[in-house]
Amino acid sequence: MQPLIAYPAGSLSGDCRVPGDKSVSHRAVLIGALAIGETTVRGLLEGEDVLRTLAAIRALGARAERTADGAWHIRGVGIGGLGEPEDVLDMGNSGTAARLLLGVLAGHPITCFMTGDHSLRSRPMNRVADPLRRTGAEIATRSGGRLPLMITGAADPVPITYRPPVASAQVKSAVLLAGLNAAGETTVIERSATRDHTERMLRHFGADFRIAEVEDGTAITVTGQPELTASAIDVPADISSAAFPLVAALLTEGSRVTFPGIGMNPGRTGLLQTLHEMGAAIEQTNARQAGGEPVADLVVRHGALKGVEVPAERAPSMIDEYPILAVAAAAATGRTVMRGLAELRVKESDRLAAIAGGLAACGVDVEAGEDYLVVDGRGGRPAGGNARAVASHYDHRIAMSFLVLGTAAEKPVLVDDGRAIATSFPGFLPLMRSLGADIRSAEAEGTAP
Ligand code: S3P
């Protein structure tokens, strides 16, 4: 355990350079491994989750090296060219790594064993295993569709049309990645749009995609067996990581923080829309494209927030941001209602329960239902001063959210364990400190639980 304590801070200021986008980084590594030639990736997130994807593609026969300038060079083997690994593929804490890689493996006639950490071994894999079996892959999971699992991909995968029962970019991506090695067209029909990083990157590498509005949603079709040509990728800064210092700046008086090069994929910007509706002053400048993704610089100033209703339809575009939105809601005036949150129950932790438990411990009025959250903010600094540490459940976003709460609270907030932060945001603590936050090791302070 690495207990941390966040003390109330004054204003935050400066330039906040957050690391590369996690979703784009996983895809750059996986698609680079399937391309012919050398893909150069700049700004790759070097968090534990992406390092797992890198280790997996190496075990499968692709090459990946980091040069002194920080760029990653991935030598791909071509679609269908991955080879059987000698050992179990351990995807650590990363659902994206596990599910996207299963899609890739479904189109390779090799047998692989996959596992993950305690959290990942409890997360549902049938949402990808079910459609991938229809392409001809054989998948045997533990009971309840859990890891560890064994997959033997199809030598001649079948192109399918699939309607995911949940709004999930991971499921969509797994099916499309499996379709890369199928002869013919693979289609995913989405009822609500999810992040389209896979589609954008495959296009960038030369794959042929068609998007069409159909009766029951949007049909995304990839033509199988394209030649993917190695390419250069500039990974945008991760909006889901920026969300933490961004909300910290919004909530602390006198703050002004700039965020250069943030990814602004419309499938990811639901938090900005919601904060805007709450009255936040977030300026977007210098809009541009990087590696097929929209990017902009953000300038964030402190300002009073008011409670809002967040509609269920917005959930896919801010699915990872509810923990930090709940913290913003705790400092807003009035009630914030967030609906359509069933998926939060199966993230790195049961995030609905973790948010509710943490907020209650910090003196915030909160109610969690099966798929909704209601937070009553009191307009100004939440109380903080929790006697028992906030339980982060080895979930990076829960740990960071409550450290932000402590930064913006009346009294310090103690979080039981900050180790999971390294899965997505290595450098979070020094970066927050450089802006003016006061987050310390609780062990060194003698305040560890
Ligand atoms: C991701 C999709 C989301 C998100 C995750 C990353 C991706 O998961 O929560 O952090 O990169 O495709 P779901 O697709 O399961 O909603």
Side-chain angles (χ1 to χ4, degrees):
M1 299 286 249
Q2 184 198 92
L4 294 169
I5 185 157
Y7 288 87
S11 63
L12 303 185
S13 62
D15 227 18
C16 185
R17 292 187 181 270
V18 299
D21 188 273
K22 184 153 71 70
S23 293
V24 175
S25 295
H26 282 301
R27 287 158 173 83
V29 172
L30 287 173
I31 296 172
L34 296 177
I36 307 267
E38 188 174 287
T39 289
T40 302
V41 190
R42 288 181 203 284
L44 187 82
L45 169 64
E46 293 173 345
E48 286 168 8
D49 280 10
V50 176
L51 298 181
R52 295 286 180 174
T53 298
L54 277 166
I57 61 130
R58 281 179 173 141
L60 290 157
R63 292 230 307 266
E65 273 152 33
R66 185 188 200 274
T67 42
D69 60 356
W72 281 86
H73 302 271
I74 297 165
R75 186 154 281 279
V77 293
I79 293 168
L82 296 173
E84 187 171 286
E86 271 181 27
D87 205 346
V88 177
L89 300 169
D90 184 347
M91 308 322 289
N93 191 247
S94 178
T96 310
R99 297 195 181 109
L100 268 55
L101 183 59
L102 283 171
V104 169
L105 294 174
H108 284 78
I110 57 175
T111 294
C112 301
F113 297 84
M114 182 183 284
T115 191
D117 73 3
H118 175 74
S119 152
L120 190 57
R121 290 196 307 273
S122 75
R123 296 179 65 188
M125 291 296 149
N126 276 342
R127 54 179 58 199
V128 289
D130 288 343
L132 295 179
R133 285 188 185 111
R134 289 179 42 197
T135 72
E138 284 171 38
I139 301 172
T141 67
R142 205 157 56 86
S143 64
R146 324 263 148 174
L147 294 178
L149 62 68
M150 185 193 83
I151 176 167
T152 304
D156 211 356
V158 179
I160 64 167
T161 294
Y162 190 64
R163 292 172 174 77
V166 287
S168 166
Q170 294 180 359
V171 173
K172 169 178 68 176
S173 300
V175 173
L176 294 175
L177 288 167
L180 287 178
N181 205 19
E185 294 192 331
T186 293
T187 299
V188 175
I189 300 178
E190 281 195 313
R191 249 173 307 169
S192 28
T194 62
R195 62 190 73 188
D196 64 352
H197 303 299
T198 303
E199 298 91 302
R200 284 173 188 262
M201 195 172 294
L202 282 172
R203 264 207 185 111
H204 188 69
F205 279 72
D208 186 27
F209 264 95
R210 269 198 342 270
I211 313 287
E213 294 311 318
V214 293
E215 208 185 321
D216 48 348
T218 303
I220 302 139
T221 299
V222 66
T223 307
Q225 302 179 335
E227 185 145 319
L228 296 181
T229 310
S231 193
I233 302 280
D234 274 318
V235 181
D238 197 326
I239 190 167
S240 296
S241 295
F244 302 101
L246 187 152
V247 167
L250 276 178
L251 299 193
T252 45
E253 244 168 75
S255 292
R256 183 184 183 280
V257 178
T258 54
F259 297 83
I262 301 293
M264 298 294 290
N265 183 305
R268 301 284 300 281
T269 50
L271 177 73
L272 296 184
Q273 187 182 348
T274 303
L275 291 172
H276 176 74
E277 289 168 8
M278 294 173 85
I282 303 172
E283 213 182 299
Q284 290 176 32
T285 59
N286 201 9
R288 56 203 186 270
Q289 292 281 318
E293 291 279 346
V295 165
D297 303 336
L298 303 182
V299 185
V300 180
R301 291 184 183 78
H302 163 75
L305 301 179
K306 59 176 196 300
V308 291
E309 294 250 348
V310 190
E313 310 83 76
R314 200 177 293 161
S317 67
M318 54 177 296
I319 194 66
D320 293 332
E321 278 65 77
Y322 285 97
I324 193 63
L325 176 65
V327 169
T333 303
R335 173 165 286 194
T336 295
V337 183
M338 301 162 238
R339 298 183 203 282
L341 308 189
E343 277 293 298
L344 294 195
R345 298 263 180 214
V346 290
K347 292 293 178 189
E348 286 84 329
S349 68
D350 175 345
R351 283 191 177 150
L352 263 184
I355 295 168
L359 287 181
C362 294
V364 178
D365 265 345
V366 57
E367 182 200 327
E370 203 37 54
D371 66 349
Y372 69 87
L373 195 66
V374 180
V375 177
D376 282 308
R378 60 178 195 182
R381 290 189 173 252
N386 51 321
R388 267 214 349 253
V390 168
S392 61
H393 303 281
Y394 201 77
D395 183 330
H396 53 136
R397 300 200 200 281
I398 297 298
M400 289 187 277
S401 294
F402 283 94
L403 294 171
V404 169
L405 181 67
T407 299
E410 277 176 350
K411 296 198 197 112
V413 167
L414 176 62
V415 173
D416 66 347
D417 189 6
R419 287 174 303 167
I421 294 171
T423 61
S424 71
F425 200 162
F428 171 74
L429 293 177
L431 188 56
M432 287 295 289
R433 289 176 189 135
S434 76
L435 300 173
D438 183 5
I439 305 175
R440 307 181 205 167
S441 153
E443 248 150 25
E445 290 282 288
T447 42

